[in-house]
Amino acid sequence: MFKPILILPICAALIACGTPQQLCIARETRDLRVVDRLIAETQGNLDRGYAFKDVVISRTVWVNCAPWPEPRPVEGAPVPRYSSPRLCLEDRDETITRPVAIDLAAEQSKLSGLKAKRKQLAAAGERSIAACRKAYPE
């Protein structure tokens, strides 16, 4: 049995998801948004003259370990209440961003290809958006 207090958050969550028309438009223009992001990234690389690459490195660090479990006491021996904290080595992965050299001519060629693809996707997107508005009028 639902309580009225639980219905409000559920309705708010459903409203936040978007209308069917908005969902349809978002679905149909996903590729266009990806290409726009790639164009911005490529243009930034050309403006800077280099690109960035995420690299995962592993570092060994000292950390406070939980107290190690004490060995089981011998029959009749008192059970220790606590053991002192200990340090131990632990590997931690860390993602860092490093600059990398790029071929500026290849990057310019990639940008030209992405801009051509964007024009193609924009034209198809306009038709898809019109179809979404027709299928799901608000």
Side-chain angles (χ1 to χ4, degrees):
M1 184 170 176
F2 285 113
K3 295 187 179 210
I5 247 173
L6 294 176
I7 294 176
L8 289 174
I10 292 172
C11 289
L14 289 175
I15 290 171
C17 292
T19 65
Q21 184 186 88
Q22 291 169 335
L23 294 173
C24 178
I25 291 171
R27 183 179 58 246
E28 296 297 324
T29 58
R30 182 175 299 126
D31 290 339
L32 183 62
R33 290 191 311 274
V34 169
V35 168
D36 283 340
R37 182 182 50 80
L38 291 172
I39 287 172
E41 180 182 329
T42 306
Q43 186 63 55
N45 291 346
L46 284 169
D47 293 344
R48 279 188 308 275
Y50 58 92
F52 291 111
K53 181 178 180 182
D54 288 337
V55 179
V56 178
I57 59 172
S58 183
R59 295 182 190 243
T60 303
V61 295
W62 288 100
V63 295
N64 257 343
C65 299
W68 293 97
E70 295 293 328
R72 288 199 166 267
V74 184
E75 284 293 322
V79 177
R81 289 188 156 168
Y82 61 89
S83 60
S84 60
R86 297 187 178 140
L87 292 176
C88 58
L89 289 171
E90 187 175 293
D91 289 333
R92 299 261 172 105
D93 288 338
E94 183 179 334
T95 302
I96 59 172
T97 303
R98 290 192 174 154
V100 292
I102 56 172
D103 180 359
L104 294 174
E107 202 76 2
Q108 185 63 49
S109 173
K110 180 168 77 170
L111 181 62
S112 298
L114 285 169
K115 285 182 177 180
K117 185 65 175 177
R118 189 197 186 290
K119 285 182 184 178
Q120 179 186 12
L121 289 172
E126 287 177 16
R127 291 189 297 273
S128 298
I129 289 171
C132 287
R133 287 188 174 140
K134 185 177 180 183
Y136 303 103
E138 288 188 341

